[in-house]
Amino acid sequence: MKVKEKVIEDVEHAESMKDTFLHNMSHEIRTPLNSIVGFMQLLDTDVTAEEHDIFLKIIHQNSELLISMIDNMLLMASLESGEYQMERVEFDVSSLMHDLSESMHGHIHDGVELKIMVHESIYVCLDPNSLRRVLKALILNANKFTPAGTITVDYKVEDDMLNVSVADTCIGIAVEDRKRIFGKFEKLDHFSQG
């Protein structure tokens, strides 16, 4: 392939990726935003105290979802541009897991048990903020597709490598779709958020 053709192909691919990203994000952002606006309008009507509390909870959840989406978009942009700076420090991963467990329980559906295994102190040299961000995203994703059951997070260090697993009792992923889910902006269920 000639250099000029390769450049044209790369530009077309980048444009296609940008269009896909904008299409997906406009849909993803609109969903919680519509929910926030709709339930705020309902608060102006004659609602019971119980309905009022339920609507506020829904508004709060969708506000957090929207902030998380925007944070993830900004993070992705900084990763793509090479501006993201990782800070490698030594820390106790067991302590991080304990803190993560405490902070995540308010985000888990009723009927779902979050089990974050906490072992004896294990010190690693990584970026704790990046690890926390990835684990939180995996847990929230598992929660989204686990209406009931458990989400279990475990970890161990082997050969100077931190191995972390997030297992859940969700709907699962068909064998033929497993490679596809790791592509950018890929979704198996276009009717669910995320």
Side-chain angles (χ1 to χ4, degrees), residues 28-42:
E28 293 299 324
I29 289 172
R30 194 175 300 123
T31 302
L33 198 54
N34 284 340
S35 182
I36 291 166
V37 170
F39 281 101
M40 284 179 66
Q41 290 172 344
L42 286 174

Side-chain angles (χ1 to χ4, degrees), residues 66-83:
L66 192 55
I67 289 168
S68 176
M69 290 170 145
I70 293 169
D71 285 346
N72 288 338
M73 283 191 299
L74 294 172
L75 174 62
M76 192 173 86
S78 69
L79 287 169
E80 296 270 336
S81 69
E83 293 178 13

Side-chain angles (χ1 to χ4, degrees), residues 153-186:
V153 180
D154 204 356
Y155 59 97
K156 61 185 170 184
V157 174
E158 292 178 325
D159 301 325
D160 295 330
M161 178 80 68
L162 175 64
N163 294 306
V164 180
S165 65
V166 178
D168 57 56
T169 56
C170 72
I171 58 176
I173 300 169
V175 173
E176 62 270 14
D177 290 328
R178 289 185 183 161
K179 286 185 180 180
R180 195 176 117 210
I181 62 168
F182 293 102
K184 286 185 177 181
F185 317 121
E186 285 291 337

Side-chain angles (χ1 to χ4, degrees), residues 31-113:
T31 302
L33 198 54
N34 284 340
S35 182
I36 291 166
V37 170
F39 281 101
M40 284 179 66
Q41 290 172 344
L42 286 174
L43 287 175
D44 286 337
T45 64
D46 189 23
V47 295
T48 66
E50 183 181 348
E51 289 172 328
H52 183 270
D53 291 345
I54 291 170
F55 295 168
L56 282 179
K57 183 178 179 182
I58 292 169
I59 290 168
H60 179 72
Q61 289 171 337
N62 280 280
S63 297
E64 284 186 353
L65 177 62
L66 192 55
I67 289 168
S68 176
M69 290 170 145
I70 293 169
D71 285 346
N72 288 338
M73 283 191 299
L74 294 172
L75 174 62
M76 192 173 86
S78 69
L79 287 169
E80 296 270 336
S81 69
E83 293 178 13
Y84 183 76
Q85 299 294 318
M86 292 182 64
E87 180 184 357
R88 293 177 68 100
V89 296
E90 189 172 348
F91 65 95
D92 180 7
V93 70
S94 299
S95 178
L96 181 140
M97 291 295 185
H98 177 270
D99 294 346
L100 182 67
S101 178
E102 295 294 314
S103 69
M104 292 302 297
H105 280 286
H107 299 279
I108 303 302
H109 294 120
D110 292 336
V112 176
E113 180 184 5

